[in-house]
Amino acid sequence: VFGDSANYEVPGHQIVETGLIKLYQITDNKAYLHLAKKFLDLRGDTLRRKVRGTYSQDHLPVTQQDEVVGHAVRAVYMYAAMTDIAALYGDAAYLSAIRKLWDNMSGKKMYLTGGLGARHAGEAFGDNYELPNLTAYSETCAAIGGVYWAERMFRLTGEAQYFDVLERMLYNGVIAGISLEGTEFFYPNPLEADGKYAFNQGACTRQAWFDCSCCPTNLIRFIPYIPNLIYAVQQDTLYANLFVSNKAEIQLGNQTVKIEQETDYPWTGKVKIRIVDVKTQSPFTLKIRVPGWAQNKVTPGSLYSCLDEPIGSYKVLLNGDDADRTLKNGYVEVTRRWTADDFVELFLPWEARRVVAGEQVADNRNKYAVEYGPLVYCMEETDNPAAFDNDKGMNPLANFTVEWQPGLLNGINVIHEQSGENEYKLIPYYAWSNRGVGKMKVWKDKVSER
């Protein structure tokens, strides 16, 4: 009920709040902003109505919530709106709450793929460290909502760690939800499949549609939004957050900057950002994100960590010469009076690496996963028919070779893993289940050195 001062009910699905905030930003009509905050402030209010409990994030006032609970999609939409309110109102209580909620989500309840939501029952977050693989819910919509929340956390803080998580969600948790043909979809996104458990609303692979069509339509809404995530602007600073070949024209203070990015990311680690044209000669700062994974940090906190020795270091060149590599909040900064054809090159270390989960994650004890750049990899039965069920585990001398296969799954880097008598072929997680029903796993057995 819009505009009714006597109404104390809250929306059943918390996406209206971010919509109201967008209306405020477009129209400058504060009634929209006040209503969004009202809907949030009324959650957990037991004085004037019966609350709906944790499923609806309606168990406590939002400023007192410190654990992500309930329906995962509704939750992350609400946390995104709370982040907007923290920013627009300068509200310290909201800011404290969203930081605690973010730390709980990223440190205790997020899948390696950036997926969110452990339980089919209630499409919900589970307990801390409850991250089953075969029965993971990890709804596509929840990963999309996670991207929206992560972007807002970045906007609020200017810290690259939030885009590190956003990138993980984008390349793994989100695009896994759509087939390479673009016509079939996953509702949940498990990290393991046995070819029998019909996890996807009655199917073992992607489906063309669902009675509740939120995931297909959400993907169709989200994909055109991706260009908005590549760059960000604050006064005379231009952030390069995602590495995607593109041409852009950006208003930066009182000048227009034309910029071009050339890269094969996520298949290689070379990124070239070139200033095509700049209208005035005012200096500005270009901030380029150096991903956490390139610094041997899997995710913020200790939920996941690298098993291998640190991979090589990153390198930054300005017009072909070495530039300052110092990081501030996860960014390399270059400040200068830019001219046309100035360019910065970022070279990221590009090696396959093994990742482990914290001991608190019971389902992943004595297991490891493989990542390459920002991509999580998996093992599919189709590529490993003999080895899949005879996995004897990995020893510390396992070695990886990477091969570009342009004819496989629309072109991918395949990882060949050799460990003693074992040899496995791994593909990017987002591309699994595009060749029929079969077994799959992200987490593989780890054995001790003999």
Side-chain angles (χ1 to χ4, degrees), residues 22 87 91 125 128 141 150 184 222-223 231 233 240 283 294 299 309 311 313 335-336 381 402 413-414:
K22 285 183 180 180
D91 191 303
F125 286 108
N128 289 336
C141 285
E184 294 182 312
F222 174 76
I223 289 171
Y231 300 108
V233 169
T299 54
E309 292 297 313
I311 57 179
S313 186
T335 303
R336 62 188 273 114
E381 181 183 26
V402 180
N413 276 330
V414 169

Side-chain angles (χ1 to χ4, degrees), residues 171 175 180 243 263-271 293 348-351 372-377 402-406 408-415 426-431:
Y171 279 103
I175 62 172
L180 296 179
F243 306 124
T263 183
D264 288 326
Y265 195 95
W267 307 120
T268 68
K270 180 182 177 183
V271 180
W293 62 259
L348 297 169
W350 218 250
E351 300 171 23
Y372 190 56
L375 299 175
V376 174
Y377 272 66
V402 180
E403 177 190 8
W404 173 252
Q405 293 194 1
L408 179 63
L409 297 168
N410 289 358
I412 59 168
N413 276 330
V414 169
I415 295 178
L426 309 178
I427 66 165
Y429 170 78
Y430 78 78

